[in-house]
Amino acid sequence: MALGKDYASQECSIARALEIVGERWTLLVVRDAFYGVRRYNDFLVHLGIPRAVLAARLQTLTTEGVLEKRRYQQSPPRDEYVLTERGLALWPTLRALGLWGRDHFSEAQLRVFRHATCGTERELGRYDECPDCGTVVPVSDVEMLPGPGADPNPADPISRVMLKPKRLLEPIELESV
């Protein structure tokens, strides 16, 4: 039996969520938005995604209220994509999926996430709890650093920016690189 195009017959909140974020590439676009990628060309370069696929994913994510399109340049008109509250609510899911993938399918830790506000040197716990101050860390207070398995000489400029510690959600500006 062929897999259908949607989950209309499923009475399940997971199925409804997959209607929005279950397409190939979609969670990677959202992940990059957490990393601070906001501009179409930056998503394109970092993900290596086909243009038509990226355009479709960004359209779906904005239509569904996961991303918001904001004009950053008038002439020529250019927009950036910023996570909304609905999009920010995906952080625990992405974090859990990343930990699961690292635990079961990867030998190398590519990224480390720490509590920026208290200055801990230790990684956040599985539920984003700070090992030093004990609080559950909001995504805006999460600092991302390259892990021991990160490529020290990545080919794309977005990955090169992410070799330095940065807070999640802070926009990546390639002009300053």
Side-chain angles (χ1 to χ4, degrees):
M1 179 199 258
L3 182 63
K5 296 280 186 194
D6 61 32
Y7 305 99
S9 65
Q10 296 287 318
E11 293 294 325
C12 170
S13 58
I14 294 172
R16 286 191 296 278
L18 287 174
E19 287 286 330
I20 311 307
V21 298
E23 293 277 343
R24 184 173 180 195
W25 293 107
T26 301
L27 285 178
L28 296 178
V29 170
V30 174
R31 176 209 61 191
D32 274 14
F34 276 103
Y35 289 176
V37 177
R38 291 184 169 189
R39 297 180 178 174
Y40 180 88
N41 283 334
D42 294 344
F43 283 110
L44 200 64
V45 167
H46 189 241
L47 292 172
I49 184 174
R51 288 179 179 275
V53 173
L54 177 59
R57 298 304 179 267
L58 290 171
Q59 177 62 44
T60 297
L61 290 168
T62 55
T63 299
E64 295 298 334
V66 175
L67 294 175
E68 176 182 274
K69 198 173 179 179
R70 292 185 189 161
R71 180 74 28 108
Y72 72 88
Q73 180 179 305
Q74 293 300 327
S75 182
R78 298 202 190 272
D79 298 312
E80 63 183 7
Y81 298 88
V82 180
L83 289 161
T84 64
E85 288 300 315
R86 183 177 280 183
L88 292 171
L90 284 167
W91 175 245
T93 302
L94 285 172
R95 174 89 167 119
L97 189 58
L99 289 169
W100 181 79
R102 185 175 81 191
D103 290 349
H104 297 284
F105 302 105
S106 178
E107 296 181 20
Q109 182 178 12
L110 303 177
R111 309 231 183 279
V112 174
F113 299 97
R114 300 191 307 201
H115 186 193
T117 306
C118 83
T120 183
E121 294 293 317
R122 299 190 298 158
E123 185 172 20
L124 294 176
R126 294 198 85 70
Y127 303 101
D128 283 344
E129 70 279 6
C130 177
D132 287 349
C133 69
T135 62
V136 174
V137 180
V139 69
S140 59
D141 289 340
V142 174
E143 180 180 47
M144 177 178 67
L145 302 91
D151 180 355
N153 298 302
D156 73 274
I158 301 296
S159 294
R160 286 195 296 274
V161 169
M162 290 191 293
L163 287 175
K164 296 179 183 167
K166 72 174 289 303
R167 280 190 188 218
L168 293 181
L169 305 176
E170 285 182 353
I172 289 179
E173 298 290 337
L174 290 181
E175 294 78 26
S176 64
V177 177

